[in-house]
Amino acid sequence: MATTFLGELYTSFVWVPTVVLGAALALKLPAIIRMWRDPLLRAVGGLLLFACALFVSVTPSVIGWTNRVTGVPNVAAPWVYSLLTAFSGAGLLLIVAWRNGLSDRSNATRRARRWIISVYSGVIVALWMLFALADVPVERVRDLDTYYAGTPFMREEILLYLLAHTVAALITVRLIWNWVRADALHGWLRWGLTFLGAGYALSLVFDLAKLTAVTARWTGHDLDALSTDVAPCAACLAAVLIAVGFILPHTGQFLHGRLRVRLAHHQLRPLYVLMRSVDGDGVPFLLCAAPELRLIRRETYIRDVLLTLARHLDEDLRTRAHRAALRLGCTPARAKALAAAVAILDAVDSGHDNPSGHPDTADLLQEIGPVSRALRHRDAIDAVRAAVRGGKTGGGAPEPAGAVQANSAARANSGTEPASSTDPGRRTPPVHPAEAPRFLLPRRR
């Protein structure tokens, strides 16, 4: 019952691996054509091309059409076996080229490639020779392997293609497993290799099901359902996983890069809106501009306006705001961004009435991202402004840490209360992090 269900499932969804493999080939095809001399890309293209041709040729309707067009009963069998063998060899070539890299021109690598090409080419030639010697007059579309399992020469042909595929799958799974455990892999490549390894491991289920069904025929038992129902479903699922393994590193890294660019563009919006209120203009909208170009244009616009506004920044206010943010419990990076945001807002609000000479704008222009993110938290900016206005930080140089500790210890021993913040002769002690507003505290990662 279960095998019948799998057979119906295979018949209904046999087109799925073809579509997925075709999508993977379409994604890789421009790079393959552009860099044809790259052995890695040639191996990828060959493997995907053989896989697509295999799953098109293995459908029952195409098998029947091939037999009718050629006029040779069951000639589709050596054709499908040859495609499967070529796919197996291409997988081994891919792993060798991918694992060793383009810079590896060693004799061992060249010998491995020559060995793979010669052995699997020899297997394909042997498959056609064995088919020419076999007597297979009755056309079998789905159960040829088990129907002719005991026929001379056809028996050897079936065993040969299964053995060639099994050896290639075992070697590939072993190489991928050793590679995926390496520490130098980025996340998308590791996930892609994981799917590839799972696909090749599942293809071993195809080989095991076929070999079990053929062996059962030799011993007089009937386990044909393993060959006609279980094995094709395992092959379809393996092909989908292999295709995903090829698609994932390329597509995942591309989408991740696009997401980072769009996120950076979005995070610059608060500072961009503020600079647009200063300049009175903005970045002209381009309908077909790439996300990277939009980000570059926004960054350039913000820096251009900041260069004009920098002459009116109050550097003393920026320094005092930085100290206030530190005393309120902010991390150094967040305090720096909040201080810059306070100084920029002060320059915008004052209408550029406080020129400050020639301030150093190098850090400010490099940190537009953190400053823009700081502008999203107006409550934090208001807290820093209130701390500056309330005199929680003095205008002069800060006391050394040892002096602050000594003064604190002296006040504790004498039992006197600290002076008010309005007293010009005394400093207000730093605010303990537990007393700082919660939104100013460093975020836990």
Side-chain angles (χ1 to χ4, degrees):
M1 186 68 178
T3 53
T4 303
F5 170 75
L6 289 176
E8 295 175 354
L9 187 67
Y10 166 72
T11 305
S12 302
F13 295 96
V14 66
W15 55 270
V16 173
T18 306
V19 172
V20 178
L21 288 165
L25 181 60
L27 285 173
K28 292 288 185 180
L29 191 58
I32 294 171
I33 295 174
R34 189 170 58 252
M35 295 181 289
W36 176 248
R37 294 183 178 274
D38 186 341
L40 175 59
L41 289 174
R42 287 204 304 269
V44 171
L47 185 141
L48 292 175
L49 185 61
F50 286 134
C52 290
L54 174 63
F55 276 93
V56 170
S57 302
V58 81
T59 55
S61 59
V62 176
I63 290 175
W65 177 84
T66 304
N67 294 334
R68 287 194 304 272
V69 168
T70 58
V72 180
N74 299 310
V75 73
W79 171 248
V80 171
Y81 297 162
S82 298
L83 288 175
L84 183 59
T85 303
F87 170 78
S88 304
L92 285 177
L93 287 175
L94 171 65
I95 295 301
V96 169
W98 200 357
R99 183 66 178 89
N100 294 342
L102 299 179
S103 60
D104 190 348
R105 306 292 182 182
S106 64
N107 292 331
T109 300
R110 287 194 292 268
R111 282 198 304 269
R113 291 174 183 167
R114 287 197 298 266
W115 181 85
I116 293 169
I117 293 173
S118 60
V119 168
Y120 279 84
S121 298
V123 169
I124 292 174
V125 172
L127 290 173
W128 286 97
M129 292 177 61
L130 289 170
F131 179 77
L133 295 173
D135 183 19
V136 286
V138 181
E139 183 183 46
R140 309 300 298 185
V141 176
R142 292 197 59 189
D143 61 345
L144 184 140
D145 289 347
T146 51
Y147 187 85
Y148 290 110
T151 302
F153 299 109
M154 198 63 191
R155 174 183 57 227
E156 286 76 11
E157 178 171 4
I158 294 169
L159 285 178
L160 181 60
Y161 96 82
L162 287 176
L163 180 62
H165 184 260
T166 302
V167 170
L170 285 172
I171 294 175
T172 305
V173 169
R174 177 65 178 175
L175 291 175
I176 291 176
W177 173 249
N178 289 339
W179 190 10
V180 80
R181 292 184 298 174
D183 296 331
L185 298 179
H186 65 77
W188 291 110
L189 178 57
R190 188 182 300 277
W191 276 106
L193 287 172
T194 302
F195 276 96
L196 274 178
Y200 276 102
L202 193 58
S203 67
L204 292 173
V205 177
F206 166 84
D207 297 321
L208 180 62
K210 286 282 188 180
L211 286 170
T212 303
V214 170
T215 306
R217 275 293 185 127
W218 295 344
T219 58
H221 297 84
D222 184 2
L223 295 178
D224 291 5
L226 292 177
S227 177
T228 57
D229 297 329
V230 176
C233 288
C236 286
L237 185 55
V240 171
L241 292 176
I242 290 172
V244 171
F246 284 115
I247 294 173
L248 197 59
H250 177 271
T251 307
Q253 192 169 3
F254 172 78
L255 293 177
H256 182 67
R258 283 298 180 91
L259 180 62
R260 291 181 60 185
V261 169
R262 291 185 182 276
L263 183 61
H265 184 270
H266 174 71
Q267 289 178 341
L268 286 175
R269 178 170 174 76
L271 187 56
Y272 169 71
V273 171
L274 183 62
M275 294 299 98
R276 194 170 57 183
S277 68
V278 174
D279 182 62
D281 201 352
V283 178
F285 177 74
L286 294 180
L287 182 62
C288 299
E292 293 82 2
L293 179 59
R294 294 180 188 273
L295 176 61
I296 292 173
R297 287 163 60 87
R298 177 166 284 189
E299 289 176 341
T300 303
Y301 174 80
I302 290 173
R303 290 190 174 102
D304 288 344
V305 180
L306 272 179
L307 279 175
T308 304
L309 188 66
R311 298 194 304 269
H312 307 280
L313 292 180
D314 188 343
E315 286 297 317
D316 181 62
L317 173 63
R318 186 176 172 184
T319 302
R320 288 184 287 119
H322 183 257
R323 293 174 184 168
L326 289 175
R327 289 172 181 266
L328 287 172
C330 295
T331 61
R334 183 163 168 77
K336 185 177 180 181
L338 284 171
V342 168
I344 292 172
L345 287 172
D346 179 76
V348 172
D349 294 341
S350 63
H352 319 327
D353 293 332
N354 51 346
S356 58
H358 302 281
D360 183 11
T361 59
D363 288 345
L364 182 62
L365 296 180
Q366 291 295 326
E367 299 295 328
I368 58 175
V371 172
S372 184
R373 290 193 294 270
L375 287 172
R376 291 181 178 274
H377 304 282
R378 289 304 181 98
D379 49 357
I381 293 175
D382 292 341
V384 173
R385 278 176 158 177
V388 172
R389 286 195 302 266
K392 292 189 176 182
T393 55
E399 292 185 26
V404 173
Q405 293 175 358
N407 291 340
S408 300
R411 286 195 298 268
N413 293 333
S414 63
T416 58
E417 293 294 330
S420 170
S421 60
T422 57
D423 185 356
R426 304 294 296 272
R427 292 186 185 273
T428 302
V431 177
H432 192 274
E435 301 173 359
R438 187 174 299 277
F439 53 79
L440 283 170
L441 295 179
R443 298 180 180 179
R444 295 183 179 177
R445 296 187 179 272

